[in-house]
Amino acid sequence: MSSCNSTLKLAPGALVEASPQRRDGKFRNPVSMHKLGFLKTLKLVATMLFTRPVGRVPTQAVPVNVLNRAQLLAAPDDSLFRLGHSTLLLKLNGQFWLTDPVFSDRASPVQWAGPKRFHQPPISIADLPPIKGVILSHDHYDHLDYAAILELAAKTEHFITPLGVGDTLIKWGLPASKVRQLDWWESTMVDGVRLVATPSQHFSGRGLHDGNQTLWASWVIEERELRVFFSGDSGYFDGFKRIGDTYGPFDVTFIETGAYDKLWPDVHMQPEQTLQAHLDLRGKWLLPVHNGTFDLGLHVWHEPFDRIVALAAKNGVPITTPEMGQAVALKGPATTEKWWLKVLEREFTL
């Protein structure tokens, strides 16, 4: 097993090329991904264009707990607020951290087309308190929001990224001194918070010609007696058990559960795999993310919640599914109401 590096790693260019995750000019997963092939690709295109199921977008308002700066400053340490999709706001050691901040109306290279938000963020970037660090998992548009990064730049001390993603931020105008880039199994410390870049099974790219030029990662986040895991995006793979054996158990795992389909099994997990990843990681509480904000798959919008909650109940796994903006105590989460059922009730009664 590669040893974790407790020292800071900065990687403008040279370390990207030297990464063991990079072969033949691109970053690679340890196991080759399945290829759709011509017929399956045609099927996927036809499905996306002509036969996508109804119910992918809620017709009634998703509940949002509106937040303000005073509330956040008064919140106890080890609090979490889900802001939407994979955007989480954590308060650790008196400081605030954001994962994959997406605040734009659309997860898209343009704001006149592409997947549109089901709900507004519980708080604007302007109203956020100072941010100690932004943690990025990869460069896809539903995880790396250009407008949000530029607005966050002035109020954020550190941007912690996988290799190559930090170079993108620097190209966008962020000072290199604010950017820390890590390869898998490397770590860094920021004011008592330890962050470890751990593997995931995914891919990267924001255009037609930059596929897999930047790395993707999951993250271990440690602060005093608290340890949490953020999956970013990933297909199911044996890396979850390796991470769990190395860094587990975790108080809470934030694992993607949404935008899945049998046509792309390598890059997003079915809910059954999400549950298994949580068990592999030796997680105590599961908080599913990557759902409830954008239409990025072929399933109805509430299906990820329905399936993962049922699976957790069947297997005796504690799970919390907070409303957007609802506070979660990371050291003692609580089972939350199934808020999406109330949205469905309103949909069915109209």
Side-chain angles (χ1 to χ4, degrees):
M1 175 178 293
S2 299
S3 62
C4 284
N5 184 350
S6 61
T7 61
L8 174 63
K9 289 282 188 178
L10 295 175
L15 290 182
V16 168
E17 294 298 329
S19 169
Q21 284 34 273
R22 194 172 175 88
R23 298 186 301 278
D24 301 324
K26 291 185 177 183
F27 287 102
R28 311 279 178 171
N29 289 301
V31 178
S32 297
M33 295 167 58
H34 296 90
K35 294 184 179 180
L36 283 179
F38 180 71
L39 290 179
K40 286 187 177 180
T41 300
L42 280 182
K43 179 182 177 181
L44 176 58
V45 171
T47 301
M48 298 293 284
L49 291 176
F50 305 114
T51 60
R52 296 184 77 191
V54 297
R56 302 184 320 278
V57 177
T59 60
Q60 298 298 303
V62 169
V64 174
N65 294 263
V66 177
L67 298 168
N68 59 52
R69 184 178 299 197
Q71 285 176 278
L72 297 176
L73 292 173
D77 276 351
D78 304 323
S79 293
L80 172 136
F81 303 86
R82 189 173 179 207
L83 304 187
H85 198 53
S86 297
T87 305
L88 305 171
L89 179 68
L90 298 88
K91 188 174 185 181
L92 306 174
N93 198 22
Q95 307 287 346
F96 291 94
W97 294 80
L98 274 170
T99 66
D100 288 355
V102 175
F103 286 77
S104 293
D105 285 340
R106 296 181 185 270
S108 172
V110 296
Q111 289 301 297
W112 48 265
K116 188 174 183 180
R117 301 184 72 97
F118 302 164
H119 62 87
Q120 288 302 305
I123 189 170
S124 68
I125 292 176
D127 290 335
L128 283 171
I131 302 299
K132 175 59 66 172
V134 165
I135 304 166
L136 295 170
S137 66
H138 63 297
D139 69 0
H140 286 158
Y141 287 95
D142 59 320
H143 295 262
L144 180 58
D145 178 355
Y146 173 76
I149 294 297
L150 294 189
E151 191 172 354
L152 282 163
K155 66 180 356 171
T156 302
E157 285 189 43
H158 305 283
F159 291 82
I160 317 297
T161 83
L163 291 180
V165 178
D167 293 330
T168 299
L169 304 188
I170 294 168
K171 291 176 184 176
W172 290 353
L174 269 66
S177 60
K178 287 192 172 189
V179 177
R180 302 189 186 193
Q181 304 188 64
L182 280 72
D183 203 343
W184 291 349
W185 304 112
E186 291 182 341
S187 67
T188 189
M189 289 287 295
V190 179
D191 288 1
V193 176
R194 185 187 187 208
L195 302 114
V196 186
T198 44
S200 65
Q201 181 174 284
H202 202 56
F203 67 108
S204 67
R206 293 174 68 83
L208 296 176
H209 306 293
D210 64 346
N212 291 357
Q213 291 303 309
T214 63
L215 187 59
W216 45 95
S218 57
W219 290 93
V220 172
I221 305 169
E222 300 176 335
E223 182 264 331
R224 292 181 294 185
E225 301 301 315
L226 179 72
R227 184 174 294 179
V228 298
F229 175 81
F230 174 58
S231 72
D233 280 359
S234 183
Y236 180 76
F237 72 130
D238 60 7
F240 290 119
K241 187 176 189 309
R242 185 177 176 189
I243 296 166
D245 289 345
T246 305
Y247 290 105
F250 292 95
D251 296 282
V252 186
T253 65
F254 315 122
I255 305 182
E256 65 138 64
T257 314
Y260 49 76
D261 192 86
K262 292 179 180 178
L263 288 173
W264 51 84
D266 294 305
V267 296
H268 291 297
M269 291 183 282
Q270 295 283 329
E272 291 82 2
Q273 295 172 315
T274 294
L275 186 76
Q276 186 59 54
H278 172 79
L279 296 174
D280 291 350
L281 289 159
R282 300 164 60 203
K284 298 175 184 177
W285 281 81
L286 170 61
L287 195 161
V289 297
H290 205 256
N291 50 46
T293 302
F294 295 110
D295 168 25
L296 298 171
L298 299 176
H299 52 67
V300 296
W301 73 270
H302 55 87
E303 182 187 299
F305 297 108
D306 297 335
R307 289 177 62 183
I308 193 61
V309 167
L311 287 164
K314 180 180 179 180
N315 290 274
V317 171
I319 187 170
T320 186
T321 52
E323 296 179 358
M324 305 304 171
Q326 182 178 355
V328 174
L330 291 173
K331 287 186 176 177
T335 302
T336 45
E337 291 187 12
K338 299 176 182 178
W339 57 263
W340 59 95
L341 296 183
K342 295 180 180 179
V343 179
L344 290 175
E345 287 175 5
R346 294 197 302 270
E347 290 183 342
F348 290 141
T349 55
L350 290 179

